Amino acid sequence: MKSFSESYKDAGVDITAGYKAVELMKAHIARTMTSGVCSGIGGFGGLFELDLTGISKPVLVSGTDGVGTKLKMAFLADKHDTVGIDCVAMCVNDVICAGAKPLFFLDYIAVGKNFPEKIAQIVSGVAEGCVQSGAALIGGETAEMPGFYPVDEYDLAGFTVGVVDKDKIIDNTKMKAGDVIIALPSSGVHSNGFSLVRKVFDVENADIKTPLEELGGKSVCETLLTPTKIYVKPVLALLDAVDSVVGISHITGGGFYENIPRSIPDGLSAKIDRSAVKVLPIFELIAKTGNIPERDMFNTFNMGVGMSIILDKKDADKALEVLRASGEDAYIIGEVVEGDEGVIIC
């Protein structure tokens, strides 16, 4: 007998909608399968077999995050197939900072009402993010929570687990003055600072769907929904080719001032050449519209730099070559200097 509860449905939870959502998402999940997956969707836990070939001292590295209030933009646009990429990106971009290769991902979707087609759209984005990062989507949870979330809204979070050889964990104790700082460009605002963004553009009331010349013919809404770039494969290629990487920072909430120092030991600072930073038009528009000081912009947003990598100066040219061959328009934005300022932008 198929599971069904009329009483539960009357209370606002339709478990049959959950079954339909699972059926609709199976094709998306199938795209992410890797050789380590040894369980299907629907069990109580996702099973993954570790392949430790070439890894003598395996260390698991985990990361968890959500999409934050960027989801409000998805609600306004009624577009739900890209925020899953953001969710995966926020997790896998964190674990790659330790040099870890993401193995698998699990998501958590909480909804006011389960619309199976919408859930499938969300999961299609999660699956795309997993494909881009090489992680398998081995499980997740969809929770229908009437009365807790509005009917047309949801929250989305997830986590990933990666692995790295202990001897290859990114080690900033070897960092020194003179090491160069390489920037990997962002695709836009990514998934941070949206509480400020929404205030600046008054997104619930203003016209944010008209194409703007300063945004290359895209609207504010379309530009803000651009998914977070995933850096896993280019960074792994770099780590395979160059052994002098001593620091990697994922530039998220808190911008340059909060995130770059996380990869730098005491006694050293990052000196950033402001003129070298390729600031994207959306950040110029945010600053102009909201009359936001540049210091606050660099302390809130990625400003066009989604990830920074610190390595020995002698390997800079090779690193740029490898990253560019992997599709990244990488460039140098500064160097490591003596001092405890954290970040110096000049």
Side-chain angles (χ1 to χ4, degrees), residues 3 43 48 50 58-59 62 74 84 110 150 164 194 210 250 257 260 280 314 323:
S3 176
F48 193 92
L50 279 172
V59 174
S62 58
V164 61
F194 271 84
T210 298
H250 183 200
Y257 286 101
I260 294 179
L280 296 175
K314 67 179 174 58
L323 289 166

Side-chain angles (χ1 to χ4, degrees), residues 205-268:
N205 303 301
D207 175 16
I208 59 170
K209 296 185 179 180
T210 298
L212 299 178
E213 184 178 345
E214 55 261 59
L215 295 179
K218 293 184 178 181
S219 68
V220 168
C221 187
E222 183 182 3
T223 302
L224 293 176
L225 273 175
T226 302
T228 305
K229 184 182 285 189
I230 292 175
Y231 299 101
V232 171
K233 292 179 180 179
V235 172
L236 287 176
L238 174 65
L239 296 177
D240 281 341
V242 174
D243 62 6
S244 66
V245 175
V246 287
I248 304 177
S249 294
H250 183 200
I251 313 299
T252 56
F256 280 47
Y257 286 101
E258 182 174 319
N259 291 288
I260 294 179
R262 294 168 67 180
S263 66
I264 300 176
D266 293 342
L268 296 175

Side-chain angles (χ1 to χ4, degrees), residues 136-184:
L137 180 56
I138 63 170
E141 172 71 9
T142 301
E144 191 171 18
M145 302 169 66
F148 195 88
Y149 291 96
V151 169
D152 291 325
E153 296 191 2
Y154 56 86
D155 198 7
L156 172 62
F159 80 92
T160 191
V161 173
V163 66
V164 61
D165 196 313
K166 188 174 183 179
D167 293 333
K168 295 182 179 180
I169 295 173
I170 304 302
D171 181 9
N172 68 9
T173 63
K174 301 175 183 178
M175 195 177 296
K176 62 189 181 302
D179 286 344
V180 299
I181 305 172
I182 292 177
L184 300 187

